[in-house]
Amino acid sequence: MQTLTPKVLVIGAGTGGYVAGIRCGQLGLDTILVDGGDGLGGTCLNVGCIPSKAIIHAANKFETVARAADGGTLGITASKPAVDLSKTVEWKDGIVRKLNGGVAALLKKARVKVIKGWAEFSDAKTCTVKTADGDITISAEHVILATGSEPVELPFLPFGGDVISSTEALALDKVPNKLVVVGGGYIGLELGIAYRKLGAEVAIVEMADRILPLYDKALTDPVAKWLTSHGVELHLGAKAGSFERGQLNITDKDGKALKLKADKVLVTVGRRPRTKGWGLENMGVAMAGPFVKIDKRCATSMRNVWAIGDLTGEPMLAHKGSAQGEVVAEIIAGHDKRFDPVTIAAVCFTEPEIVSAGLGPQDVEERDDVITAMFPFMAIGRALALEAGDDGGFVRVIASKTDHRILGIQAVGQHVSELSNSFAQMLEMGALLEDVAGVIHVHPTMGEAFHEASLRALGHAIHI
C-alpha cells in the first residue's frame, strides 16, 4: 500500500476545499486534495449553484420567447417556442465540464496533488483513500476538512424514482407536466420558478405560514406575488406525507387531507453536513450539534485539524467556505489570520431575486437607535427599462441613528444579485450613509436605488 506524508491534506474538493488547496499550493505548502464527492468544484459547481443558475437562465430565455408568442412583448412577436430539456441539460453540463477543467488546471498550476477516491480516517491525521488503482494511506501534518453537505431526505419521502432532490431536478430530460415542490426555501423556489417558466404546473408545500420564512415579509411578498400571478399553487402551513400512485398526500393548514397529482416530487427541506462515512468519529474533534465545532481560526478541538464550509454550520454558502479556505491556508503558512467577517451576503435567485446582508428588520425591531429607509425600483429608470420596476422591488438600508454607520442592506427585484458585492463591501469597510451618498453612482443602473435609499435615510432623497 502506498503511503504519502504531505504537509497539508484537504478532504473535499468543493468551493471550500479546492480554494484551500490552491492557496496552500500558492504558499508553497506540499498539499494533497482528496476528491471523493461530486467532482472538482463539489456540490456548487456540479449539482448546485452553477448548474441551477444555468437552468434558471434558460428558463428566463424561454419565458421571454413565450411572452413574445403570447401577444408580443416590447413590440416583439415570435412563434410559439418549444423546449428540449435534454439539450438544455447538455448545455448546462458543458458549462460544468468547462469549470471542472478550469479548477483542475488551477490546482495543477499550484502543484496540488489531486487524488480521486473516498477517504476514511483512522485517527485525526491519518486516512486511507480507496481509489480505482488501490488503497493509499495518507498521514499529514495538517488536515483541512471540507466535506460539504447533502440534501435532507424525509423518511416518508425517500429519494428515488419520481421523488427527487435538487441534484436530479437539474438533470431531467423533459419538463414534468406537474411538479410538486416540498419546501418553500430558496432551493425549492429557485427550481420551482424555473420549471414554471419552462411550462410545468407547479405546486409548493411549505410547513411555515409563508415562503422563505428566514427572510422578512417585505422581501418575500414580491416573490409570493409572482408565484400567485403565474398560477403556482401555494400550500402554506401544510405538511407533506407519502407519495403513492402519482399523488402526494398532504395535510393543509386546517388539518384537511389533500392529494396533489405529481409527475415529480422535488424535496428541498434543507441540507445537512456530510459527517458520515469518512471516519469523523475516529478523529476526536468536538461537535456543535450536527456541525464540527471551530473557532475564529477555523480550528477544531484537535491540534492542526481544521474545518471549513458547510461542515461548520450556517450559513451554508459557497463563498463562506471559499473565504474560510483561504484563511486556513494562510494560517498554516504562518500568517496571522482570522475568519471574522462583518457580513456574509446571501442571495435567493428567485423571481424577483432577493439579497440580504447584515442586520435585517427582525434584528432591530426592538431598537429605537436605528434608521430604516427604502427606495423602490419603480422610481429607477434602468429598472423600468429592464421591466424590473413594477414587481414591488426595492433597496432598503438600516443604519445607526447616532453615527450613521450602515448595519444592514436588503434588496428584492430583478438582477439585484449583482448588487450583493457592493452591499457586502460597504458593510465590511464600515461605511456610513454619507459614504454611499457621496459616491457618484452611474446612471442609468440598478445600483442607483442603493444611493437613493441612503439619501432617503439622511432625509434628502432626490427621486422620490
Side-chain angles (χ1 to χ4, degrees):
M1 182 185 296
Q2 185 180 7
T3 300
L4 302 174
T5 57
K7 174 82 171 181
V8 182
L9 169 63
V10 184
I11 302 297
T15 47
Y18 87 73
V19 169
I22 289 171
R23 189 68 185 117
C24 283
Q26 290 174 341
L27 292 164
L29 304 173
D30 178 26
T31 303
I32 291 177
L33 173 67
V34 175
D35 170 22
D38 300 304
L40 295 179
T43 295
C44 177
L45 193 156
N46 293 278
V47 292
C49 315
I50 302 301
S52 67
K53 303 315 168 283
I55 295 296
I56 289 168
H57 175 69
N60 290 341
K61 292 286 190 182
F62 182 82
E63 183 193 36
T64 299
V65 180
R67 287 172 59 196
D70 186 21
T73 178
L74 309 178
I76 302 168
T77 58
S79 300
K80 184 176 180 180
V83 60
D84 183 340
L85 192 60
S86 64
K87 291 185 177 178
T88 305
V89 169
E90 184 180 336
W91 165 76
K92 175 266 294 181
D93 289 343
I95 295 171
V96 171
R97 284 192 299 271
K98 182 176 181 179
L99 292 172
N100 282 147
V103 172
L106 292 169
L107 287 163
K108 183 178 180 180
K109 181 180 179 182
R111 295 185 174 86
V112 176
K113 181 179 179 62
V114 177
I115 297 176
K116 181 74 174 178
W118 191 257
E120 185 165 352
F121 282 84
S122 55
D123 60 44
K125 305 287 180 60
T126 306
C127 71
T128 299
V129 182
K130 298 185 179 300
T131 76
D133 299 320
D135 293 354
I136 300 173
T137 297
I138 305 176
S139 182
E141 183 179 341
H142 292 266
V143 173
I144 303 175
L145 302 176
T147 56
S149 62
E150 58 195 4
V152 171
E153 185 176 46
L154 295 172
F156 50 86
L157 275 177
F159 295 132
D162 291 327
V163 178
I164 60 177
S165 72
S166 57
T167 298
E168 293 76 36
L170 293 168
L172 297 178
D173 59 4
K174 65 178 181 179
V175 178
N177 291 324
K178 294 182 181 293
L179 174 69
V180 176
V181 180
V182 178
Y186 75 95
I187 297 174
L189 287 180
E190 286 181 4
L191 293 175
I193 288 170
Y195 274 105
R196 180 69 191 107
K197 289 181 176 182
L198 290 170
E201 294 181 23
V202 176
I204 294 171
V205 180
E206 167 58 45
M207 286 186 66
D209 60 1
R210 61 184 181 85
I211 58 169
L212 298 167
L214 296 180
Y215 293 88
D216 67 89
K217 191 171 181 296
L219 288 175
T220 62
D221 275 351
V223 181
K225 178 182 175 183
W226 188 96
L227 294 169
T228 301
S229 66
H230 287 76
V232 176
E233 288 183 40
L234 289 177
H235 298 275
L236 303 177
K239 295 181 180 179
S242 60
F243 179 62
E244 301 168 328
R245 293 184 292 277
Q247 293 183 316
L248 178 68
N249 296 298
I250 73 166
T251 305
D252 72 9
K253 62 181 179 180
D254 299 318
K256 182 180 178 181
L258 300 174
K259 293 181 181 294
L260 303 181
K261 291 183 179 180
D263 298 303
K264 298 290 181 184
V265 176
L266 171 58
V267 179
T268 58
V269 294
R271 297 183 65 84
R272 63 187 172 202
R274 190 176 280 121
T275 57
K276 304 295 184 183
W278 49 272
L280 176 63
E281 64 278 7
N282 299 324
M283 299 184 73
V285 300
M287 303 295 289
F291 302 106
V292 172
K293 185 177 182 180
I294 59 171
D295 62 15
K296 294 283 184 156
R297 301 166 68 242
C298 300
T300 71
S301 59
M302 184 63 67
R303 181 177 174 81
N304 291 345
V305 176
W306 317 82
I308 62 177
D310 291 359
L311 188 63
T312 65
E314 298 289 351
M316 290 188 180
L317 297 172
H319 42 288
K320 181 196 81 171
S322 296
Q324 288 178 318
E326 290 188 67
V327 166
V328 170
E330 293 181 15
I331 290 173
I332 293 172
H335 300 185
D336 184 15
K337 300 286 287 188
R338 297 288 186 276
F339 181 73
D340 190 20
V342 172
T343 187
I344 303 173
V347 177
C348 293
F349 290 86
T350 44
E351 185 64 61
E353 296 174 347
I354 295 174
V355 176
S356 182
L359 300 182
Q362 67 275 17
D363 301 310
V364 298
E365 60 185 354
E366 302 296 328
R367 295 173 56 173
D368 58 6
D369 62 340
V370 298
I371 309 166
T372 300
M374 185 176 73
F375 194 87
F377 281 115
M378 66 182 297
I380 295 295
R382 176 65 168 164
L384 295 176
L386 292 172
E387 300 180 277
D390 59 356
D391 57 10
F394 60 85
V395 172
R396 177 176 60 209
V397 295
I398 299 172
S400 166
K401 275 185 182 178
T402 54
D403 62 5
H404 294 175
R405 190 169 303 279
I406 299 174
L407 305 174
I409 315 164
Q410 296 82 39
V412 56
Q414 293 181 49
H415 315 292
V416 296
S417 58
E418 299 303 326
L419 301 180
S420 58
N421 294 317
S422 175
F423 294 172
Q425 182 181 37
M426 287 297 180
L427 286 164
E428 197 67 41
M429 67 181 284
L432 310 182
L433 291 170
E434 288 83 354
D435 293 320
V436 181
V439 172
I440 299 175
H441 285 66
V442 174
H443 173 78
T445 63
M446 298 287 282
E448 289 179 276
F450 183 23
H451 183 238
E452 289 278 6
S454 299
L455 289 174
R456 196 175 193 184
L458 292 169
H460 52 85
I462 300 298
H463 291 96
I464 198 168

